[in-house]
Amino acid sequence: MVHSEECDIIFRLKGILEFACQLDNPNGAQSQGTISKSFQGLQSKVSSKNIVLTVCNSPVLIWPNTGFQSNVESLTEASSCGDILQYIELDYSGSKKSSKKKDKKKSGPTVVNMKLLFEVTEPAGNEAPSLIRVSTQQHCVKMPLPLDCVLSVTTDESLTTVCTGLVEALNKQLADMEEVVLRYRKGSSFLVPQPFHFQLPEPAGFTTVIYPAGVPDSQLQDAREDLHKRFKLPSDRPYLRRANAFHFPDAAYKDGYLRNPHIHLNPPNIEDAKLYLVQGVYSYHHYMQDRVDDDGWGCAYRSLQTICSWFQQQGYVETAVPTHTQIQQALVDVGDKEPRFVGSRQWIGSIEVQAVLNQLLGVTSKIMFVSQGSELTTKGRELANHFQTEGTPVMIGGGVLAHTILGVAWSENTGQIRFLILDPHYTGGEDLQTITDKGWCGWKGPEFWDQNAYYNLCLPQRPKTI
């Protein structure tokens, strides 16, 4: 099912089904048929009348395979899926501050979470239990299948259509899981198939891919190549690594860092200007985070951390965002600094940021030099081209300050330009409203820069890989 910008609601259905089968000979020719038969049994189960969908944080129960039946009288097969929202108790506890803003952009579609259940009681029949004795040695295989299906719709779609689509998605996901289990099993050793959702460029849209648990991305290159060909994706950047998985709007990030605060800003009002913005997801790193008091000296370190987080969250690297100490040690390792530099409070600049990115991430960067801040107004075309082609955050250092440039609004006709700045000098908590209202993440004019200071800009380049 395609997820587009016009999507109003994402229905997400999760549940656990237990896979079980008896293998006479795990390596025998018949074992594949036995495994497939067990998956067919699970597909029959999700297509049966016993399946029940419960809407989280609500009293709503739906029986999707009985011509649409609900325990709420007002919800019928003619109801639109938007009607279900009135029964859901919303939890604003984690986002009160950011939800007060009325002039900011909408953060995304509404997510309706659902759980997969089954009725276990049925009318008793006249059948008597039967016992079967098996004298041959068998291997019993059991594992949980973590089903996770999504459906993107507009609010006027019918609930019947949604329920039918979710059951179809369950069946397709089981078929995809069967394929992964068969491909990666070794005898009676099975890897749990795990679903990941990706928001791909149109027309592919919202897509679910099954990967085997325990197999790192580095060993799934062939699978990704096949998927890139199937969805006609570019072959020079990752779209389908686990780190690229779609982040649902209602899910909090566990590490506590804010992601992409710039998406909550309105664009600047410049006639005939186009926006050229960072592509993908980054974390906002700034002064005083991670129990490190770097106020007054650590701004370039924080800008570097933001850049590293971008490469991590786009799937280019699996290493953690480096600490101040690790950044300093990297500069010692490449011969740029003396050993006593580690543990100091010495500043770093764009050249050092370039060196660390290459040393720790294997990422190359271009350096742009301007002799005075007033010249930055003439760099609109080069910065626009960078964000169009590379899409990485840019570190800029001048005088005693460092900032991160996330994009530009630039008019090719008039030359007018505004810079989207992420300021690492912020010392407060992760309060989105304060950060956007006070300009710690915001659009700045040319006067923002020291007109007489020279600046170096570090423009990281994307590795050509999937």
Side-chain angles (χ1 to χ4, degrees), residues 285-287 289-290 292 294-309 321-331 337 341-350 352-353 356-357 395 401-404 424-425:
H285 292 262
H286 57 78
Y287 278 170
Q289 284 178 331
D290 316 309
V292 174
D294 56 350
D295 191 353
W297 62 273
C299 51
Y301 293 82
R302 297 299 188 177
S303 180
L304 172 56
Q305 287 178 331
T306 293
I307 293 172
C308 290
S309 78
V321 172
T323 64
H324 292 56
T325 301
Q326 290 169 334
I327 291 169
Q328 293 174 337
Q329 185 62 54
L331 290 169
K337 302 292 183 185
F341 177 68
V342 178
S344 71
R345 294 191 165 203
Q346 292 185 34
W347 301 335
I348 61 174
S350 301
E352 288 91 346
V353 168
V356 173
L357 287 172
M395 181 270 182
L401 299 177
H403 293 87
T404 308
H425 303 91

Side-chain angles (χ1 to χ4, degrees), residues 116-136:
L116 176 65
L117 302 176
F118 292 92
E119 288 187 320
V120 295
T121 55
E122 296 182 2
N126 297 322
E127 299 84 2
S130 59
L131 299 177
I132 300 176
R133 180 180 179 181
V134 179
S135 58
T136 59

Side-chain angles (χ1 to χ4, degrees), residues 82-120:
D83 294 339
I84 209 168
L85 300 179
Q86 61 186 304
Y87 298 100
I88 300 175
E89 183 178 343
L90 298 178
D91 179 14
Y92 293 106
S93 58
S95 57
K96 279 185 178 179
K97 290 182 178 179
S98 60
S99 65
K100 290 179 181 177
K101 296 299 295 176
K102 294 184 179 180
D103 59 337
K104 302 296 181 184
K105 287 185 176 180
K106 181 183 177 183
S107 59
T110 299
V111 178
V112 175
N113 292 295
M114 307 177 79
K115 290 184 180 179
L116 176 65
L117 302 176
F118 292 92
E119 288 187 320
V120 295

Side-chain angles (χ1 to χ4, degrees), residues 241-271:
R241 298 191 182 197
R242 290 178 174 94
N244 302 128
F246 179 76
H247 184 81
F248 288 87
D250 64 329
Y253 285 100
K254 296 179 181 179
D255 59 17
Y257 300 110
L258 286 179
R259 263 52 169 202
N260 289 27
H262 75 277
I263 65 173
H264 300 278
L265 299 172
N266 291 316
N269 185 20
I270 302 179
E271 186 177 354

